[in-house]
Amino acid sequence: MVEIIKNINKKPRIKYFEKKSETIGRSELKILQAERLKKTLRQIFSAGGFLKNRLAEAGLKNLKDVEKIKTALHIKNLPFTSKADLVDNYPFGIFSSPVKNIVRIHASSGTTGKPIIAGYTKRDIVIWSKLMARVFCGADISKSDIGQNAYGYGLFTGGLGFHYGAEKLGMTIIPMSAGFTERQFIMMQDIGATVLFCTPSYALFLSEEIHKYIPDKSKIKLRKGIFGAEPWSEELRKKIEKSLGIDAYDIYGLSEIMGPGVAFECVYKNGLHINEDNFLPEIIDPETGRVLEEGETGELVLTSLNREAMPLIRFRTKDITRLTGEKCKCGRTFVRMDKIKGRTDDMIILKGVNVFPSQIESVLFRCDYLEPVYMIELYTDNLLDKMNIIIEPKNEIFNAGENKITDAVNEISHKIYELIGIRVKITAVPPKTLERSQGKAKRINDLRRKI
Ligand code: DLL
C-alpha cells in the first residue's frame, strides 16, 4: 500500500458522494446488477440494430429470453463487443437512443482514422457527473476545493467529464484545458487552486517547469491531484507527489463506456474501485476469451448497467489488470482493480517475453540520475525484433563526460536485463531532448519493418 503523504500521521478522512450506493451490501448489489442488466438488454432489444442482432445470433433471441435471466452471472453467455464494432457502426449504429435524445457527443481516435463516437442523453450526463463526484469524494476532495482542470476540453472526455463532476460536487472549477503552461501557473498561483486534474505525464511536465514560474513553492496551495487517461507507474506517482508536494490519485475510464469515472482510488490507494452499480467488470484471457478467476491478470471487459444512449455489452477494453473483492478500509463495497499495467495493443513481445512500457518506466523512474522521461523504439535487425530505450541522463551526468554517461547506460542496461532477461539497446540523449506530453504520452515508437 502506498503511503499517504500529507496524512502521514492522521487517519485518512473517508467521504462518499452517494454513501448508500457506494457501501451497498454485496448481495443487494448482485440483485441490482441483474435488474440493471435486464433493463439494459430490454433497451437494446427495443432499439433494434447491430447490438440486438449480435445478441440474437448468440442465442438471446427475444424479450422472453431476457426475462429468463436470473443473475448478472448470465453475462458470461453473451457475446463480446469491440472497438471494431463501434468503427463498423459509425457514427450512430451502436446507439440505443434516438439521436434526438442525445445531448452530447464525445469521440476518441479509432484504429482506422475514423473516430469512435460516444453519445450521452441528459440522464447519462447527470449520472456521469455523479460518478465523477464520487471520484472527488473518494480522494477527500470537497466543494471547498478549487480545481484546476488541465485535461483537454473538446471531443476528449477528460475535460468536460471532470468539469461536470466538479460542478455537481459544488467545487470551484477552472476550465484551463491542457497546454498554455505559463497560464497554468499564473492561474494556479493567483486563483489558489488546491487540486489539479490532468494526465500524469502533464503533471510531471508541470512539476519540471514549476520552479521557472513559481520559485517559491509556498505560493501554491495545491494539495491533491487526480491523474489518469494513460498508464502510470507507482514510481511516477512518487515523483509527482514529491515535486509538487501533493497527494496523487489514479482515475480510470474510457470514452466507449462513459469517460473518466469508471474506476477511482480512495484515500487508501490500494486499487481502483470500479463503480459496480453502473459497470459490470470481468477479466478474460485476451487470447481465448475465457473468463478468469478473481485475482488473475487479464483483459478488463465492461458491461454498461445504467446507460441510455450507448450501453455496451461485454466491451473488450484491451486494458490489462486484475480484480480483488477483498474488503477496503474505506467501506466501499465495490471491487477494486489494480493500476492498469498497459494495453494489449502496447504489449511488446521480445524473444517471447511480454513487456509493458509501465514495467520499463518503473525501473527508469527509480534512477535519480535520469530525467523522468523515456521512449521505447522498436526496430528490426536481421529479421528480429529489437528494443532501444532512449533515456535522458540529468545535466550533472551529461556534463560530467563520456564515462559517466556510459556508466549510466550500463547500469540501466543491467537493470532492464534483470527485469526481462533480455539485453536491449540503451541510448542516452541530452536532457530535454525527448518531447514532453500535455495529454497522453507516446511511449513507443514502432520502427519495425511491416511485412
Ligand atoms: O482516457 C478517459 C479518461 C479521461 C480517463 C481522464 C481518466 C482521466 P479514452 O481517451 O477513450 O478515455 O481512452 C481510454 O485510456 O482504455 C486505457 O487504455 C487508458 N486509460 C484511461 N485511464 C487510465 C488509467 C479516457 N488510469 C483508454 N490508467 C483506456 C491506465 C488508462 N490507462
Side-chain angles (χ1 to χ4, degrees), residues 345-350 375-381 384-389 443-450:
D345 296 341
D346 289 341
M347 189 174 78
I348 303 158
I349 307 177
L350 266 193
M375 176 61 85
I376 299 170
E377 264 181 8
L378 300 175
Y379 63 101
T380 318
D381 182 23
L384 290 176
D385 285 351
K386 297 272 173 71
M387 186 194 282
N388 175 25
I389 305 176
R443 303 295 193 193
I444 300 178
N445 187 11
D446 195 345
L447 306 170
R448 284 174 294 185
R449 234 180 299 141
K450 303 278 182 300

Side-chain angles (χ1 to χ4, degrees), residues 184-369:
Q184 298 280 354
F185 289 121
I186 293 171
M187 296 299 268
M188 190 181 286
Q189 187 172 323
D190 294 354
I191 312 288
T194 56
V195 288
L196 174 65
F197 311 132
C198 60
T199 59
S201 37
Y202 194 47
L204 180 69
F205 176 66
L206 292 175
S207 76
E208 283 185 313
E209 295 291 298
I210 195 164
H211 66 276
K212 288 191 202 155
Y213 302 94
I214 314 178
D216 177 4
K217 273 205 203 151
S218 69
K219 292 262 178 348
I220 60 162
K221 297 206 174 107
L222 275 192
R223 58 182 200 98
K224 283 175 193 266
I226 301 192
F227 309 121
E230 60 181 354
W232 55 308
S233 60
E234 284 300 337
E235 285 69 27
L236 178 49
R237 187 202 309 260
K238 280 182 206 138
K239 280 204 184 293
I240 296 171
E241 290 191 326
K242 194 166 164 217
S243 48
L244 287 177
I246 61 171
D247 189 16
Y249 291 82
D250 196 357
I251 176 169
Y252 170 82
L254 59 166
S255 335
E256 295 90 340
I257 287 292
M258 182 181 77
V262 170
F264 61 99
E265 280 181 329
C266 68
V267 283
Y268 289 99
K269 298 186 189 174
N270 50 9
L272 289 83
H273 289 279
I274 299 178
N275 274 312
E276 263 189 294
D277 53 346
N278 280 259
F279 314 102
L280 187 64
E282 297 169 88
I283 298 289
I284 62 162
D285 177 334
E287 298 287 322
T288 63
R290 186 173 64 86
V291 178
L292 302 180
E293 296 293 319
E294 186 185 314
E296 287 186 281
T297 300
E299 179 181 345
L300 177 68
V301 170
L302 293 166
T303 295
S304 323
L305 295 176
N306 204 14
R307 284 289 307 271
E308 278 183 345
M310 206 179 101
L312 294 181
I313 303 296
R314 301 194 90 196
F315 182 73
R316 292 191 58 162
T317 66
K318 299 200 168 189
D319 293 318
I320 301 293
T321 185
R322 60 179 181 165
L323 302 180
T324 170
E326 264 173 44
K327 273 199 175 145
C328 180
K329 281 196 270 179
C330 76
R332 283 177 186 79
T333 45
F334 297 153
V335 293
R336 281 166 286 143
M337 62 177 213
D338 271 3
K339 249 174 136 28
I340 299 283
K341 212 167 160 187
R343 290 180 60 78
T344 50
D345 296 341
D346 289 341
M347 189 174 78
I348 303 158
I349 307 177
L350 266 193
K351 293 190 183 164
V353 179
N354 300 347
V355 192
F356 284 102
S358 62
Q359 292 170 285
I360 307 259
E361 177 175 304
S362 304
V363 169
L364 300 180
F365 284 14
R366 256 182 251 140
C367 301
D368 286 341
Y369 51 86

Side-chain angles (χ1 to χ4, degrees), residues 155-201:
L155 288 175
F156 177 52
T157 51
L160 287 175
F162 270 76
H163 188 103
Y164 272 61
E167 286 191 349
K168 175 58 89 193
L169 184 65
M171 191 193 310
T172 308
I173 185 83
I174 319 172
M176 292 299 301
S177 204
F180 307 108
T181 304
E182 182 171 4
R183 214 191 307 161
Q184 298 280 354
F185 289 121
I186 293 171
M187 296 299 268
M188 190 181 286
Q189 187 172 323
D190 294 354
I191 312 288
T194 56
V195 288
L196 174 65
F197 311 132
C198 60
T199 59
S201 37

